[in-house]
Amino acid sequence: MSNILTRRREPFRFMLIVGIVGIVFLFLTLSLLYLLRKSSTDWVAFHIPLIFWVSTGMILLSSITLHQAIIYFKREHFRRYRWSMGITLLLGVLFICTQLLGWWQLTSEGIGMKTPAGAFLYMLTGLHILHILGGIVFLSVAFVHAVKRPQYVDSFVYSVNPPNLLRLQLGTVYWHFVDGLWIYLFLFLLYHQG
């Protein structure tokens, strides 16, 4: 009977878990600092831009389309897999665009980087955008691999290759994580915006 601590693990999965734990600690620390700084007298109240609601819908929809893509991949419906991956990638890019539009709305309302509230807001959402960009790299690579193999046989051979399966699994876990991270940030900022 092997000990749970000494059992061999897949190193890339372990690295992803360690990375996710580090990201969680980073955002929890920034959230705590936000709450501490919010009690100061120079805090300027702001309201979450309406476009952030749209971006939240897009990121939730991207998780659904990615989940559906994985189902199609496992069932060997490769054409549908390609379409679902393409839609997921497009939603990820649109999420970033809507976030940037939200920033533009905030700056037009006077919430800039020089205000404490603005500095925290841009830092939290900007760091999240950087993490989304990492997911977009994964989605782009997966989409290119899917499009390069339009024939069923090529797609099937690609789908049964263990490193390809692992890459897809890890990328999916990461994408769902950054989606969940945005939901946390959105709710946190929505609740603590004033």
Side-chain angles (χ1 to χ4, degrees), residues 17 36 44 60 71 96 112 122-123 151 166 173 193:
I17 290 168
L36 292 172
V44 177
L60 286 172
I71 290 171
I96 292 176
Y122 294 118
M123 183 184 344
Q151 302 300 320
L166 178 65
V173 167
Q193 66 184 327

Side-chain angles (χ1 to χ4, degrees), residues 19 36 87 94 109 170 191-192:
L36 292 172
I87 292 169
L94 289 175
E109 294 171 7
L170 297 180
Y191 185 74
H192 298 287

Side-chain angles (χ1 to χ4, degrees), residues 3 20 24 35 39-40 49 51 59 65 69-70 72 75-76 80 83 89 101 108 111-112 120 134 151 179 188 191:
N3 185 341
I20 286 173
V24 167
L35 293 175
S39 62
S40 65
I51 196 78
I59 207 75
T65 58
I70 300 308
Y72 290 143
R75 292 182 181 168
E76 301 173 15
R80 290 179 181 170
W83 273 102
L89 177 60
L101 281 173
S108 66
I111 305 296
F120 271 101
Q151 302 300 320
D179 289 1
F188 176 80
Y191 185 74

Side-chain angles (χ1 to χ4, degrees), residues 78 149-160:
F78 299 117
R149 293 168 178 79
Q151 302 300 320
Y152 176 82
V153 173
D154 295 336
S155 296
F156 178 77
V157 169
Y158 180 82
S159 73
V160 294

Side-chain angles (χ1 to χ4, degrees), residues 166-183:
L166 178 65
R167 190 176 317 120
L168 191 58
Q169 289 170 348
L170 297 180
T172 300
V173 167
Y174 180 78
W175 188 257
H176 289 314
F177 165 71
V178 293
D179 289 1
L181 180 61
W182 171 251
I183 299 304

Side-chain angles (χ1 to χ4, degrees), residues 99-119:
Q99 292 286 289
L100 297 176
L101 281 173
W103 286 4
W104 179 77
Q105 286 178 350
L106 286 165
T107 56
S108 66
E109 294 171 7
I111 305 296
M113 288 290 286
K114 294 185 179 178
T115 64

